[in-house]
Structures are given as structure tokens and as C-alpha cells.
Amino acid sequence: MSIYKTKESVGNDFSSLFDPPFTITKGTGLLQFPDPNSPKSIKIKQKIDGFSAKDLIKLLNNPQARPGIAPTAYDTAWLASIPSEDDLRLPMFPSALQWLLENQSSDGSWGGKIQYEHDRILCTLAALVPIKQFCASEHVANNLKAGIRYLWQHGHLLSNEPTELVAFELLLPTMVKRAQNLGIPVPPNLDIYTSQRAEKMKLIPAGALYSPRVTIVHSLEFLGEQADVSGLRAAQGINGSIGNSPAATAFYYSQTKDPKALSYLHDCMDQSGGAKVPVLYPCENYELLWSAYHLYLAGVPVSSLLNEQQTMMLKNALNNGGVSLSPSFPIPDADDTAVALLFLHELGQSPDPKILEYYATPDGHFASFQYERHSSVGVSLHVLHALLRVPGYPGGQRTITRLLDYLASQQIDGLYWIDKWHISPYYATAHALCILTELDSRMAFRMRPLIEQSREWIRNTQNQDGSWGFYNQPTLEETAYALLALAASTPTPLSSEDRRSCEKAVYYLQTKLKEAPVGSSADLFPPLWIDKCLYRPALIVQAVIAAALEAYKKISTEEHLNGVNHEVK
């Protein structure tokens, strides 16, 4: 049953959807929790401004109004390190340097709010360079000392984290050398990726290093002093960038003074308010597809998510090799391509899933791009989702079985999944639980123990206030993934236990969003997505939260219409 066909019957009194164990204070719409450890009361709303499906659909149809990728210290530091053409002692982008000085953490580091050392170490190395390069005051000397101290205190923790960042094994030695060239004392134990770097370079064919159609282009700043200028020129994209990366483009501009590159950098600055830049720009297709996909997981029909122009764009891309993160980024990927296939099929078209064969690996899973060192649970899940819905893939049933084998092997400690594109296991686990509900009875029987183990992990890791957070800090985004997993991956009715967990999560989300609307607090919306540093795709995060609330509203409406009563046990 679709919420879109029944919401009028519910009316505006959303409190009527809730049954015991919650009691409703007459005339207030407040829900009373009998458990003293639960919130004392909760006001249920049908809509939170900016976080309804309708709000997100408006943004999907208006690219100019989308918030874009939030700025990062790593890429901003690369722009801040470019000298002025008029005076090499001064920065070309002084506002970027000022932004770095104003956004150093109290522990001396730069990077996201979540203390993920790969992110903090790389961002701190990048930020120290322009500060040392252009600043001389005693106040700034303290900034330098604090940043250096962080490197020495935390460098040994790199090996403890579950996944690397994009091209980290290539970028780290370059960033260390940049710092050392300016006399910044860097701990000798930072670079622990010698073998991984050699492995990565072996994967890249001779002659492909500077190709704009190989993903390493996004990280070409790793070449440092070894870069070939003519090769860099060949890597430049149609928008003037190197791999849609402000950092790589800033590096390229420092080597060539190319005016198109400078124009791209100014455009990045303008899009982010004039003082900082994101890790990726532009990425229109990525924002569209992943925002829409989360809403789709919550039950919003694709016909409500994509307009005719967007549908035609995806169809043309599939007919020309696959879908990439942006028309200006000529490297299709399995993630965007799989979701596009799924969406077009849902719209009644007949896309050919054989395009996914390009991304299949001999090991039974699917790769995001060519020449990757690590597999991606998320990519394989999204390909699985497409293959479960879209007919015509060669050996489709055998491929689905192999994907399930792969996913079973990747569940960590029998509890959760984690993906190479996101540091939180709530992301991959939520997607897994939503997608695996679509298996037929035979395959579902096989995967049921894994599904139940992950659901139990989600239940038992919820914080007392209704939130979730893997890194000892609750976040709205992770809370939304967990809520989506519980609400969208189970047939109605919810168990009393899951309903209670969901209700506490809704309360947490509503309370925090009321305190700090979207985009206003880095504490509530810390970067969790993986590129060369951690980053936050603001529209996608907004869509995740909207999807979670939508999924719970949908299942609550269906329970209400079906007369489900939850009793205290």
C-alpha cells in the first residue's frame, strides 16, 4: 500500500497513528513513554521543513538550488597554497588561507568532526603547508605547532581504521614531502603504505596515468615534482578541471598557469561562498541519483523522483557506455549505472543490464571503476538490486548467487557491512537490509541469518536518546540509516521492539533538526562519505533523513489503516 494514495485519509493528526505502549496526552498530541529511560514525550509531525519527500523532489528538479558538496580542508588547503602572480610571498586565495586558520580543530588538526585519522592526518598535512608558506606571526606559529603535534600524537593510529580514503596510499608520501620541503617536522612513521602504493601503480596500465578516462586523474596531485606537464595538459577536462577535483586542479594550475584551470577554481570558490572548496565539483548525476535512490528505498515511486529531462539524460548515458557522476566527468561507474538501470526499468522502459558486465570481476563481485585495489560492498549491493528487478543479464541467476556469496563473506563479525565509499557501517547495512528483502523465498532463507544478525546489531547499538553513531558520536545521518533499515526492510507490522526503536529515532531526529536546521551545524552533519578526505554531500544526507522519516510514516500509516495494535509485553 502506498502512502501517496492514503495520506489524505490520515489527515493532519499524525498522533492518531500511534497505539500503546505510547499514551497520548489529550489535546496536546504528545506521546508519553512509560519507560523512564525514554524521552518523556514526543510531538509527531508529518513534515519537518526541508526534510519531506516533497522538499527533496523540488531540489532534485532544480539543480541550481541544490546545496552541493560541503567544503573540505584538504582541497581548500591546495588553493590556499597557490602563490599570487603579483607577489610570490602572498597567497592567490587569501580567503582560503583565512578559512583554514579559522577552522582548525581544538586538538590542532584539520578535517571532519568525526576523528577518522586518515582524514585528519591528510587534511592536517595539507593545511600546514600554506600556513608555513605564507604566515609568520606568533599566533600562527601556535597553529603550526598544534598541527605538528597532532601528527606526532596520532600518526600511529592510521592502521587501526577499517578503510582507506581514495588514493591515500598515493597521496600520503606526496603530502609528507611537501611539508618536509618547507621544514615542517613530520613523524617518520606516517607512511605505512609502501606495498599498497606499489600494488596500485601496477594496476594502472602504461600510458593511462594521465588519461582523463581513468579515475586516478581525480588524484593527480600525488605526482608532485614527478609530474609531466604535457601529461597533465592531456588530463584536463572540458570544464578546465583535472578530474573534477579542486585539489588536483590547483596542483595543475601551479604547474601550468592554465587560465581554464583558474576559471574552474574560481567557480568552485563561488559555489562554496568564496572562501573554501569541496572535494568534488561538479557532480550533478551523483547528487540526483543517490538522493533519489534513498527516497526510493523508502517507497517513493521513481515517477515522482525523476522528470522527463532527467530520464532522457540517464537513457542517453546508458546508451553511451554508462552513467558517471557528472556529464563533465567521462568515467562511468557501476554504482550510478546500476541505479540508473533500476530507475529506468521502474519507469516502464527496457534498459539493457548487459552494460554491467564491464564492471564484473572474476571474484564474483562488481567494481566501481577499473584498476581498483578494494572491492565495494555498496556497489555489489546496488548491482544486485538492479539484477533482482531488471531482466536480461547474462547468467543472471548465477550472478545473483555469486553476489550473495560475496556479501555473506563480507559481513563483519556476523554483525554489519561496511563500504569503501562511506566510513559508517550503518550506510552499507541499511542498504543491504533494504535490498535483501527483495530476494525470492529460496534465497531469502539462505540470507535470513545474516539479515537477522544485522537487525539485532542495529537494535542493540541504539543510544538511549534514540540516536546511532559508530564512532562514539551520534549523528543524524547514521540515525537515519538505522531508522530506514528498521522501517523499510521489514514487512508490516513492526514488532513492538522495532516500533519503539523507530519512534525514539524519530524523536531524536525531530528534536535535533529543530535545534539546528540542515547545513547549520558541522557537529550534527559531520562528513562520513569517502573521497580523498571525508566529505558531506549535503543534498544526499538531507535525502537520507527525509527517506527515513518517510519510511516510518509509510509503515505507520499502513499499520493504522490495517488496525494494528501494539501492546506492552
Side-chain angles (χ1 to χ4, degrees):
M1 184 181 300
S2 171
I3 185 69
Y4 300 95
K5 296 179 181 178
T6 61
K7 63 181 179 181
E8 294 303 323
S9 65
V10 176
N12 293 324
D13 184 10
F14 200 53
S15 64
S16 66
L17 301 179
F18 297 88
D19 303 301
F22 310 105
T23 58
I24 302 173
T25 303
K26 188 173 182 180
T28 67
L30 296 179
L31 301 183
Q32 303 298 328
F33 289 77
D35 184 347
N37 293 323
S38 299
K40 290 184 179 179
S41 62
I42 176 173
K43 187 171 181 64
I44 301 298
K45 300 178 181 179
Q46 282 187 291
K47 177 188 175 190
I48 301 175
D49 289 342
F51 288 91
S52 72
K54 287 184 179 179
D55 291 329
L56 268 295
I57 290 168
K58 287 179 183 177
L59 287 172
L60 294 182
N61 287 307
N62 184 7
Q64 300 304 316
R66 297 177 193 169
I69 305 295
T72 67
Y74 175 76
D75 289 77
T76 300
W78 272 96
L79 269 72
S81 67
I82 301 175
S84 168
E85 294 180 0
D86 298 326
D87 188 339
L88 297 180
R89 297 170 299 175
L90 300 175
M92 174 175 282
F93 296 99
S95 61
L97 181 58
Q98 185 62 37
W99 185 87
L100 290 173
L101 292 170
E102 293 172 355
N103 284 274
Q104 186 175 20
S105 299
S106 58
D107 60 12
S109 70
W110 283 264
K113 182 68 176 178
I114 299 293
Q115 192 164 328
Y116 199 77
E117 298 301 349
H118 282 76
D119 175 62
R120 292 286 189 92
I121 294 293
L122 201 70
C123 289
T124 299
L125 282 167
L128 289 173
V129 167
I131 294 173
K132 176 71 171 179
Q133 199 174 347
F134 297 119
C135 302
S137 71
E138 185 60 32
H139 171 71
V140 173
N142 292 331
N143 293 76
L144 281 169
K145 290 177 183 177
I148 293 166
R149 182 168 56 249
Y150 187 91
L151 295 178
W152 284 82
Q153 290 178 342
H154 294 261
H156 67 286
L157 299 174
L158 284 174
S159 60
N160 296 342
E161 293 176 333
T163 187
E164 301 164 24
L165 306 183
V166 171
F168 190 84
E169 72 276 35
L170 303 179
L171 292 168
L172 183 62
T174 299
M175 303 309 295
V176 167
K177 188 169 185 179
R178 289 182 83 223
Q180 289 174 335
N181 287 346
L182 289 171
I184 298 172
V186 177
N189 62 331
L190 276 187
D191 188 9
I192 58 174
Y193 293 97
T194 303
S195 61
Q196 293 93 328
R197 183 160 55 253
E199 179 186 352
K200 179 67 175 181
M201 295 308 294
K202 285 180 182 178
L203 290 171
I204 302 169
L209 184 60
Y210 293 98
S211 171
R213 296 185 176 275
V214 176
T215 53
I216 200 169
V217 70
H218 183 65
S219 309
L220 278 185
E221 69 269 25
F222 90 89
L223 290 169
E225 297 170 353
Q226 299 177 3
D228 175 71
V229 173
S230 62
L232 290 173
R233 293 188 190 279
Q236 189 174 29
I238 58 175
N239 59 1
S241 78
I242 301 296
N244 284 25
S245 163
T249 308
F251 168 71
Y252 170 67
Y253 178 76
S254 70
Q255 303 293 309
T256 64
K257 308 305 178 190
D258 182 276
K260 287 181 63 179
L262 183 59
S263 177
Y264 168 81
L265 295 176
H266 280 297
D267 191 23
C268 291
M269 292 280 279
D270 292 342
Q271 293 293 325
S272 300
K276 66 276 187 191
V277 293
V279 72
L280 176 66
Y281 175 81
C283 52
E284 313 95 307
N285 295 347
Y286 166 59
E287 283 188 303
L288 169 68
L289 287 170
W290 292 100
S291 298
Y293 184 66
H294 283 99
L295 293 168
Y296 174 74
L297 292 177
V300 181
V302 178
S303 58
S304 298
L305 297 171
L306 300 182
N307 60 36
E308 186 175 345
Q309 181 181 359
Q310 292 163 342
T311 302
M312 185 58 64
M313 178 272 294
L314 294 178
K315 185 176 181 179
N316 290 338
L318 289 176
N319 290 336
N320 288 280
V323 183
S324 72
L325 59 88
S326 169
S328 60
F329 190 75
I331 312 174
D333 64 88
D335 248 348
D336 289 317
T337 298
V339 173
L341 279 167
L342 178 62
F343 282 0
L344 290 182
H345 175 75
E346 292 294 294
L347 291 172
Q349 305 207 20
S350 302
D352 187 352
K354 289 197 291 291
I355 194 171
L356 292 172
E357 287 184 296
Y358 177 76
Y359 305 99
T361 73
D363 299 327
H365 62 271
F366 284 72
S368 311
F369 301 98
Q370 285 187 309
Y371 317 128
E372 291 184 327
R373 280 181 50 232
H374 301 296
S375 64
S376 167
V377 166
V379 168
S380 291
L381 279 168
H382 305 135
V383 170
L384 173 64
H385 203 180
L387 297 186
L388 289 172
R389 293 288 187 98
V390 185
Y393 188 82
Q397 199 61 40
R398 183 177 67 254
T399 301
I400 288 172
T401 299
R402 295 189 71 190
L403 280 171
L404 295 179
D405 290 340
Y406 166 75
L407 292 171
S409 73
Q410 294 298 304
Q411 193 181 45
I412 297 175
D413 297 330
L415 299 174
Y416 56 79
W417 287 273
I418 196 164
D419 186 39
K420 66 181 288 182
W421 300 111
H422 200 287
I423 63 169
S424 175
Y426 293 106
Y427 165 80
T429 304
H431 284 210
L433 293 181
C434 289
I435 293 165
L436 294 175
T437 59
E438 301 194 15
L439 298 174
D440 64 30
S441 57
R442 179 181 60 83
M443 293 186 290
F445 178 79
R446 174 195 171 190
M447 300 299 287
R448 188 171 297 128
L450 282 71
I451 294 170
E452 286 307 313
Q453 287 160 198
S454 285
R455 290 178 66 83
E456 191 67 10
W457 172 73
I458 289 175
R459 293 183 187 110
N460 286 297
T461 55
Q462 186 176 29
N463 295 316
Q464 185 174 329
D465 63 0
S467 67
W468 279 271
F470 189 71
Y471 293 92
N472 300 315
Q473 175 184 329
T475 70
L476 274 75
E477 184 181 349
E478 290 173 286
T479 300
Y481 289 128
L483 174 58
L484 181 65
L486 292 178
S489 70
T490 184
T492 54
L494 286 171
S495 68
S496 295
E497 179 186 11
D498 285 351
R499 183 183 178 84
R500 185 170 184 76
S501 292
C502 289
E503 186 54 44
K504 291 174 71 175
V506 170
Y507 173 81
Y508 176 82
L509 291 172
Q510 290 184 339
T511 302
K512 292 300 181 181
L513 290 171
K514 183 177 180 181
E515 293 174 358
V518 64
S520 65
S521 172
D523 291 349
L524 292 179
F525 302 97
L528 299 170
W529 294 70
I530 293 175
D531 198 301
K532 290 179 282 188
C533 57
L534 297 184
Y535 73 101
R536 175 169 58 91
L539 182 67
I540 297 173
V541 174
Q542 195 172 343
V544 170
I545 296 170
L549 295 171
E550 187 74 14
Y552 186 64
K553 184 172 74 172
K554 180 177 185 291
I555 202 168
S556 297
T557 302
E558 291 176 351
E559 288 183 358
H560 173 74
L561 295 173
N562 292 329
V564 175
N565 184 38
H566 292 268
E567 298 181 354
V568 180
K569 294 185 179 180

